[in-house]
Amino acid sequence: MIGGSETTILIPSSTTMESRDERIRTLKVGTIARAAAVFRVDRIVIYRDPEFDDSRFISRVLQYAETPQYLRKRLFPRERALRYVGVLPPLRTPHHPTSSKVSTLKVGEFRVGLVVDEVGSDNGAWVDIGVERPLPLKTASRYRAGQRLNVRVFSLKPLAAEPVDRSEIPHYWGYETEVIPNLDEHVSSTESLVVATSRVGAPATPDILRQTVRQGRRRGLEVVFGSPARGVDAFLSSETMEGCCVINTIPHQGTETVRLEEAIVATLAQVNLMRSLEG
């Protein structure tokens, strides 16, 4: 996450509406995934745009991109939505390790694992963490085959791992993906600070960004982006819009339009910079 609070970005189901080419659509979603990882976004929410609903495609590509490479074949069967995932930029986050050797594992290392076999009637399981062989999982709970979980290597001789909660992991550990049917209902009910990005919003001055960062650190931060065809105000009631912090993060744009992925990078970069200055 950026700073010390949960950060969410909300994008429309019409994110990909500008192209019919599946390769280009896949790359666009991958660019958003990469930006989310660079700026430590915890959650990507896809809200429904009734004019163009590509939420299933967007969510599948986002989920695939976030999944460590060594688990993708097990978790994602062949399907049309993932036809061009070869163009996706690698995230290179801490939960996407490049080493696949048991000999490189360290005690205390965290990994994303997949339960590949349950252990009879006793508690425990075997878990694939991306090395040559599965590790025994020592736990008081029961896990089913095919379940994804986070683990920590606690022993090398004998080799063994234990499950851990995401909150125990001190590194950025990727984003979660969610699809919601109605943006207005979500924004009006959340307790987080909601920032609606808009060309007609107040320019993102240092003072505004500083206030946003401070409030977001206490409450959590949710940043909403409009569709390629319509602004955020088209999806929110006037009452809900009034409760948001509406800002323009590219106040002197030199182009007629700003693409969604460009707006995401520009906005998160400013929030990240201000958070680093605020400590």
Side-chain angles (χ1 to χ4, degrees):
M1 63 186 70
I2 305 175
S5 60
E6 183 172 280
T7 300
T8 299
I9 59 173
L10 296 98
I11 62 175
S13 63
S14 54
T15 292
T16 53
M17 70 182 296
E18 294 177 304
S19 177
R20 294 184 179 181
D21 188 311
E22 290 188 9
R23 188 187 302 270
I24 293 175
R25 289 162 59 213
T26 301
L27 182 58
K28 184 183 184 79
V29 176
T31 301
I32 294 172
R34 174 74 180 178
V38 167
F39 295 110
R40 302 165 67 93
V41 168
D42 300 287
R43 195 163 56 122
I44 303 177
V45 175
I46 305 158
Y47 64 87
R48 184 174 179 271
D49 180 346
E51 294 189 356
F52 193 95
D53 188 2
D54 203 16
S55 56
R56 187 185 183 281
F57 174 84
I58 297 168
S59 63
R60 291 297 283 171
V61 174
L62 286 173
Q63 290 164 357
Y64 183 92
E66 188 276 335
T67 300
Q69 294 89 331
Y70 56 85
L71 296 182
R72 288 174 176 172
K73 287 186 178 180
R74 292 180 182 269
L75 292 175
F76 294 91
R78 288 179 177 271
E79 58 180 286
R80 185 176 180 85
L82 303 177
R83 184 178 179 184
Y84 293 110
V85 291
V87 304
L88 293 174
L91 298 193
R92 297 298 301 272
T93 51
H95 73 312
H96 284 207
T98 56
S99 172
S100 60
K101 301 290 186 180
V102 169
S103 59
T104 65
L105 290 177
K106 299 179 177 60
V107 172
E109 181 174 345
F110 296 95
R111 288 256 182 160
V112 178
L114 184 74
V115 176
V116 294
D117 192 19
E118 301 174 37
V119 182
S121 58
D122 299 326
N123 290 328
W126 291 90
V127 62
D128 179 1
I129 64 167
V131 292
E132 296 101 328
R133 60 182 186 272
L135 274 65
L137 182 69
K138 303 302 181 182
T139 174
S141 302
R142 293 297 303 273
Y143 291 93
R144 66 183 186 279
Q147 184 174 352
R148 174 177 165 169
L149 71 165
N150 299 314
V151 304
R152 174 171 49 212
V153 177
F154 74 87
S155 173
L156 297 179
K157 294 182 179 180
L159 196 60
E162 59 186 354
V164 294
D165 291 329
R166 186 175 177 134
S167 60
E168 299 177 58
I169 301 173
H171 322 296
Y172 174 66
W173 213 241
Y175 56 80
E176 297 178 346
T177 304
E178 180 183 356
V179 179
I180 61 173
N182 188 286
L183 179 64
D184 192 80
E185 291 180 2
H186 173 85
V187 172
S188 61
S189 62
T190 185
E191 295 182 358
S192 299
L193 172 67
V194 177
V195 172
T197 59
S198 172
R199 188 170 185 173
V200 299
T205 64
D207 285 343
I208 288 178
L209 289 171
R210 186 175 295 108
Q211 293 174 21
T212 298
V213 164
R214 288 175 179 173
Q215 290 187 51
R217 183 168 287 151
R218 295 193 302 268
R219 300 164 50 188
L221 180 65
E222 300 194 16
V223 186
V224 186
F225 298 90
S227 80
R230 300 187 292 165
V232 175
D233 58 314
F235 303 96
L236 298 176
S237 66
S238 56
E239 181 181 357
T240 304
M241 197 74 174
E242 288 176 3
C244 300
C245 175
V246 185
I247 62 176
N248 181 358
T249 55
I250 312 177
H252 301 293
Q253 65 189 60
T255 55
E256 183 177 348
T257 59
V258 174
R259 294 175 179 174
L260 176 60
E261 62 270 32
E262 295 168 339
I264 289 172
V265 171
T267 302
L268 294 179
Q270 291 175 62
V271 172
N272 184 63
L273 175 60
M274 187 55 65
R275 277 188 163 157
S276 67
L277 293 176
E278 288 284 295

